[in-house]
Amino acid sequence: MEKKFLPYGKQNITQEEIESVISALTGDYITQGPLVEKFELSLAKYLGVKHAVVVSNGTAALHIASLALDLKPGDAVIIPAISFVATSNAVLYCGATPIFADVDAKTGNILIESAEEAILLALKKGLIPKAIYPVHYSGLPCSIKDLIELAKKYDIKIVEDSCHALGAMYRINSEENFKMVGSYADMSAWSFHPVKHITTGEGGAVTTNCSILASKLKMLRSHGITKNSFDFTKQNLSLDEKSAEINPWYYEMQMLGYNYRLPDILCALGIAQLKRIDLFIEKRRALADYYFKKLSGIENIILPLNDNVTAFSSFHLFPVKIDFEKIGKTRKQIIDSLKSYGIGCQVHYIPIPWQPYYEKNTDKFMCLDITNAENFYKEELSLPMYYDLNFDDIDRIAEALRYSLGN
């Protein structure tokens, strides 16, 4: 019997979640209804933050977070060179300058020393360093204590790209209780793509503890419009005209926003998925522990960092590093070999400055020495990691990997 194909990631949808979406479809609202706010409240409660603003995808989340910071030409944002292109594209959308910093060779997370060097480069070039966008690569939190100290030192904002990190936890020191990623930054961006921990199909969110930012984010996701009478600015309106009860049709466009709204039918799926988030995270951590056990004896593989002292990864990915030159095989050969055993892999990520658009537009960004990032990319391979994976599947992956590497 042919064995099932194991992709690197996939969603898990139950009948209950299907019924939740059907219920939304047959209700009074399928776009902007009560489930939007319900999903936002549930997400904020889970993460331990005051506000969540859901949007159409993770890229939209990063974009409106950038807009909420009032990024503009002359501003600079520090970004790790290893990330999906959306992290830096969101900065370019605003006309600001991404400065790419190097990453930690073990974790793929932004290297604090390189981030500070990037801030100093911005100042030297006459740019205003406005923010740092750390990426919690694969679900492992960055060095949060160092990030906070760096942000305070240079009076810059922290906007986390937390798209890998729903359910990840950290603590500053051993005396503290663990907190959810997203609870300390000025804003955090999230993704609910099908390969993430929960899914809404496409979807994302920005979370924050700042009421002012939350209000701005909500306008930015919906054409820059507010229907809140307390926010109206036109001076020639009477008190009666400003009353939403008397004139429910009245609204004001106060900024140039976008249509980044997430509809009720997708929020219905998100609400149902979020109810199972603890189960999803628990399973991913159990799978990761089994990966560590099964792969630890295979030569020429470097396993991801498994901290558990200051941080708990949510294991969006299980990235291993392989010195392909040392084993005398190319990454493509290994990927093709694994594919022949019905095992799918992925690579996360090509350094952003290597992308053709960036290579053709070197005036739009700056880049430090990113040797670690380049080497990380050359050796990285993401093995399957998702809820439906089981220990027998990992046995099969380990055996295929051992054979493919020639162990």
Side-chain angles (χ1 to χ4, degrees):
M1 182 181 295
E2 186 177 347
K3 293 183 178 179
K4 65 179 179 180
F5 182 77
L6 305 176
Y8 95 89
K10 62 177 290 190
Q11 72 278 5
N12 175 273
I13 305 294
T14 64
Q15 185 61 36
E16 181 180 348
E17 288 156 351
I18 293 171
E19 291 172 359
S20 295
V21 176
I22 292 172
S23 178
L25 279 168
T26 57
D28 293 331
Y29 301 92
I30 62 172
T31 54
Q32 296 303 288
L35 296 183
V36 174
E37 184 177 7
K38 184 177 180 180
F39 185 29
E40 290 176 335
L41 291 172
S42 298
L43 184 62
K45 182 179 179 181
Y46 173 72
L47 292 170
V49 297
K50 293 181 179 178
H51 307 281
V53 179
V54 296
V55 292
S56 53
N57 53 64
T59 303
L62 287 162
H63 187 196
I64 65 169
S66 300
L67 291 167
L69 288 182
D70 295 319
L71 289 185
K72 57 186 180 300
D75 294 336
V77 176
I78 314 308
I79 293 170
I82 292 290
S83 183
F84 186 55
V85 294
T87 314
S88 56
N89 287 355
V91 175
L92 291 179
Y93 296 158
C94 300
T97 302
I99 302 182
F100 293 105
D102 208 359
V103 301
D104 183 280
K106 294 181 180 179
T107 66
N109 282 333
I110 194 165
L111 192 64
I112 298 298
E113 296 83 358
S114 185
E116 183 165 20
E117 187 180 345
I119 293 171
L120 295 174
L121 175 62
L123 293 169
K124 182 179 178 181
K125 296 294 185 179
L127 298 174
I128 300 172
K130 210 68 170 290
I132 182 170
Y133 286 16
V135 176
H136 302 298
Y137 178 82
S138 78
L140 180 67
C142 296
S143 179
I144 289 174
K145 180 181 179 181
D146 293 333
L147 279 170
I148 293 172
E149 291 175 353
L150 185 68
K152 287 182 178 178
K153 182 177 179 179
Y154 292 98
D155 190 26
I156 62 175
K157 302 297 185 182
I158 299 174
V159 177
E160 298 171 290
D161 183 335
S162 299
C163 293
H164 288 192
L166 188 63
M169 303 177 74
Y170 77 98
R171 60 182 177 182
I172 299 297
N173 56 61
S174 58
E175 286 74 40
E176 277 194 353
N177 292 325
F178 281 94
K179 297 180 180 179
M180 288 288 181
V181 161
S183 60
Y184 74 94
D186 295 282
M187 288 180 281
S188 298
W190 308 88
S191 169
F192 309 129
H193 184 275
V195 297
K196 301 301 197 303
H197 302 85
I198 67 169
T199 187
T200 56
E202 284 281 5
V206 184
T207 56
T208 182
N209 286 312
C210 176
S211 299
I212 295 173
L213 284 173
S215 177
K216 193 172 183 180
L217 290 164
K218 287 180 179 179
M219 281 195 278
L220 285 165
R221 76 163 170 200
S222 188
H223 305 283
I225 286 174
T226 180
K227 295 183 179 181
N228 187 338
S229 59
F230 294 104
D231 294 329
F232 293 160
T233 59
K234 290 193 73 171
Q235 301 300 314
N236 60 342
L237 292 177
S238 68
L239 290 176
D240 284 345
E241 286 176 314
K242 286 186 176 181
S243 170
E245 292 181 0
I246 295 175
N247 295 317
W249 50 266
Y250 187 78
Y251 59 89
E252 288 185 2
M253 176 185 160
Q254 297 181 350
M255 60 184 72
L256 185 62
Y258 297 80
N259 184 356
Y260 283 164
R261 296 174 300 199
L262 190 67
D264 255 36
I265 53 175
L266 298 187
C267 287
L269 178 56
I271 292 165
Q273 286 260 297
L274 194 57
K275 291 178 181 177
R276 295 200 290 145
I277 183 62
D278 290 337
L279 187 64
F280 288 152
I281 299 301
E282 182 181 347
K283 178 68 178 290
R284 284 175 180 264
R285 287 180 176 149
L287 292 170
D289 286 343
Y290 197 67
Y291 260 130
F292 284 115
K293 177 182 177 181
K294 296 299 295 186
L295 300 184
S296 61
I298 300 180
E299 295 180 4
N300 300 315
I301 290 182
I302 299 176
L303 300 179
L305 182 67
N306 193 24
D307 187 346
N308 294 346
V309 176
T310 59
F312 276 107
S313 176
S314 56
F315 288 104
H316 163 55
L317 305 173
F318 194 87
V320 299
K321 292 171 65 179
I322 300 169
D323 189 335
F324 296 102
E325 290 186 8
K326 182 179 178 180
I327 66 172
K329 295 183 179 181
T330 66
R331 178 161 49 196
K332 185 179 185 306
Q333 286 174 321
I334 299 299
I335 290 174
D336 287 346
S337 177
L338 290 173
K339 188 175 182 181
S340 72
Y341 289 98
I343 297 164
C345 298
Q346 187 54 274
V347 177
H348 298 91
Y349 293 98
I350 301 169
I352 299 174
W354 287 11
Q355 294 295 339
Y357 174 85
Y358 283 84
E359 289 182 337
K360 293 175 183 177
N361 292 276
T362 55
D363 59 317
K364 296 181 182 295
F365 71 96
M366 296 181 188
C367 188
L368 300 180
D369 180 347
I370 56 169
T371 300
N372 287 350
E374 293 170 356
N375 291 334
F376 191 93
Y377 159 67
K378 290 175 182 177
E379 298 181 350
E380 197 274 341
L381 192 65
S382 296
L383 301 179
M385 174 58 81
Y386 51 92
Y387 180 77
D388 287 337
L389 202 68
N390 59 51
F391 292 161
D392 288 341
D393 294 330
I394 292 178
D395 286 338
R396 181 177 143 203
I397 293 166
E399 182 181 357
L401 193 55
R402 189 188 300 273
Y403 181 82
S404 299
L405 295 175
N407 280 199

